[in-house]
Amino acid sequence: MAAIPGIAFSGSPGVVRKMLPGAKDRPDERYGEPMWPTAAGSTSATPASRHVPFEARGGELAARVWEALELPGSAMDYHFVLQTAVDRFWSERRSDPDGLRLVEDFARLDLQLMEAAPQAVSFDFEVSGGEATFVRVSSVPRLVSLLEREGAFGEALALARRLARFKQGEEAVARLSEKTRAFAAEAEGGPV
């Protein structure tokens, strides 16, 4: 993922890229579509998109996500790896509260990725009529919701504003703007 222009990602913590299976794989593009080597032949799925098993949870899930971000893949592959991890950690937050830190880390990375490579969250990034069509993202709204619940309205608002560029999060911007104004007025001793 660090190879994507414009992203501030220096690499996954504790991961030695060259030691990962698939890190050195390159696609065969002779037939128009890239085909990646596998033990059984080849596939159109990149090493990054194949690396995180569906059943992975907890520490294994975190390790596999960090590894996947070091493997060859597209911006869209990395987005789905990150978003799926956020969704899994979010759904298991009661049984694994430590996963909430990873919800934050992975959602922030996903937003950076979206900003650097908007095509990662667009089925049709080619601008038609002046507007790009973006897919609905769940990772960043989860983080906005988490920050709002913790009372970090300013931080949640800043993330929601960044997300609004992708035609989502506008309702959170309105709600959090009001909460931030009310909180500031209360702190100053004025009317709420």
Side-chain angles (χ1 to χ4, degrees):
M1 187 167 97
I4 294 175
I7 193 161
F9 178 71
S10 59
S12 297
V15 176
V16 179
R17 185 178 197 277
K18 65 183 177 183
M19 301 300 288
L20 296 173
K24 295 179 184 174
D25 289 353
R26 296 296 171 256
D28 179 351
E29 298 189 39
R30 289 181 290 181
Y31 304 104
E33 290 294 319
M35 296 300 289
W36 295 86
T38 67
S42 63
T43 179
S44 60
T46 66
S49 68
R50 298 188 319 258
H51 193 71
V52 183
F54 177 76
E55 65 278 356
R57 298 290 185 266
E60 179 191 5
L61 174 59
R64 289 300 203 115
V65 169
W66 287 121
E67 290 170 357
L69 299 179
E70 296 294 328
L71 293 171
S74 70
M76 188 176 281
D77 293 330
Y78 301 130
H79 161 67
F80 283 112
V81 164
L82 289 165
Q83 179 166 273
T84 300
V86 167
D87 290 345
R88 286 186 197 169
F89 280 114
W90 182 258
S91 69
E92 296 173 3
R93 67 190 177 280
R94 287 179 181 80
S95 61
D96 182 14
D98 293 337
L100 286 176
R101 180 187 54 78
L102 291 166
V103 165
E104 183 169 355
D105 292 345
F106 291 152
R108 287 183 188 280
L109 270 177
D110 199 18
L111 182 56
Q112 286 180 30
L113 173 66
M114 292 164 54
E115 291 171 332
Q119 70 274 15
V121 291
S122 176
F123 285 123
D124 180 20
F125 192 67
E126 296 300 318
V127 179
S128 57
E131 292 290 321
T133 304
F134 296 103
V135 299
R136 180 64 53 193
V137 173
S138 63
S139 58
V140 181
R142 288 201 193 287
L143 177 56
V144 169
S145 173
L146 177 63
L147 291 170
E148 183 177 5
R149 288 177 188 176
E150 292 176 350
F153 302 132
E155 191 176 355
L157 176 59
L159 288 173
R161 284 183 173 146
R162 289 170 61 190
L163 184 61
R165 169 184 173 200
F166 302 96
K167 309 291 188 242
Q168 46 204 306
E170 295 90 344
E171 67 287 339
V173 169
R175 182 180 68 251
L176 288 163
S177 293
E178 181 58 37
K179 283 184 176 185
T180 303
R181 279 191 297 275
F183 187 72
E186 183 178 308
E188 292 175 8
V192 178

